[in-house]
Amino acid sequence: MPITKSAEKALRQSFRRKIANNKKTKAFKKALKDFKRDIINKGVNKDKLLKIVYKSLDKAAKSNVIKKGKADRLKSRVAKIANKISK
């Protein structure tokens, strides 16, 4: 347990940040999973799915939940899958 006031505040901050980071992590993982599931169905709009995936990855990278390089790598892989399916 924190003893000083500043340690108590730091603990509250870390809990809030953990919740926010977990939300962003779950969001981009869900977006990737939905993309991979829905891209198999040829009837879905791949541009709309790509936009959702890109947005969630960029948000996670912006707030340092994941590194920018990882976000770029995942976006590249997703785009490669989308292009392969569309051909």
Side-chain angles (χ1 to χ4, degrees):
M1 290 300 297
I3 295 172
T4 61
K5 291 264 189 196
S6 60
E8 288 175 2
K9 181 179 178 182
L11 185 65
R12 287 194 306 267
Q13 286 175 329
S14 70
F15 281 139
R16 279 195 297 265
R17 288 178 182 149
K18 181 180 178 183
I19 290 169
N21 289 341
N22 284 343
K23 256 187 198 179
K24 289 176 188 142
T25 303
K26 286 179 184 177
F28 89 79
K29 285 185 179 181
K30 183 181 183 308
L32 286 172
K33 190 183 286 187
D34 290 347
F35 174 81
K36 289 177 183 174
R37 185 192 65 226
D38 292 344
I39 201 71
I40 294 169
N41 305 332
K42 303 249 180 187
V44 297
N45 187 359
K46 73 172 179 123
D47 295 330
K48 182 180 170 188
L49 292 172
L50 276 174
K51 186 177 179 182
I52 292 168
V53 172
Y54 281 12
K55 184 176 181 180
S56 63
L57 286 170
D58 287 337
K59 278 188 175 185
K62 181 180 179 183
S63 58
N64 292 324
V65 173
I66 58 174
K67 291 184 179 180
K68 185 182 181 304
K70 180 173 181 171
D72 292 341
R73 186 172 59 249
L74 290 172
K75 287 193 290 188
S76 173
R77 290 178 183 171
V78 165
K80 195 184 254 187
I81 292 170
N83 288 335
K84 187 194 265 185
I85 295 294
S86 66
K87 289 182 180 179

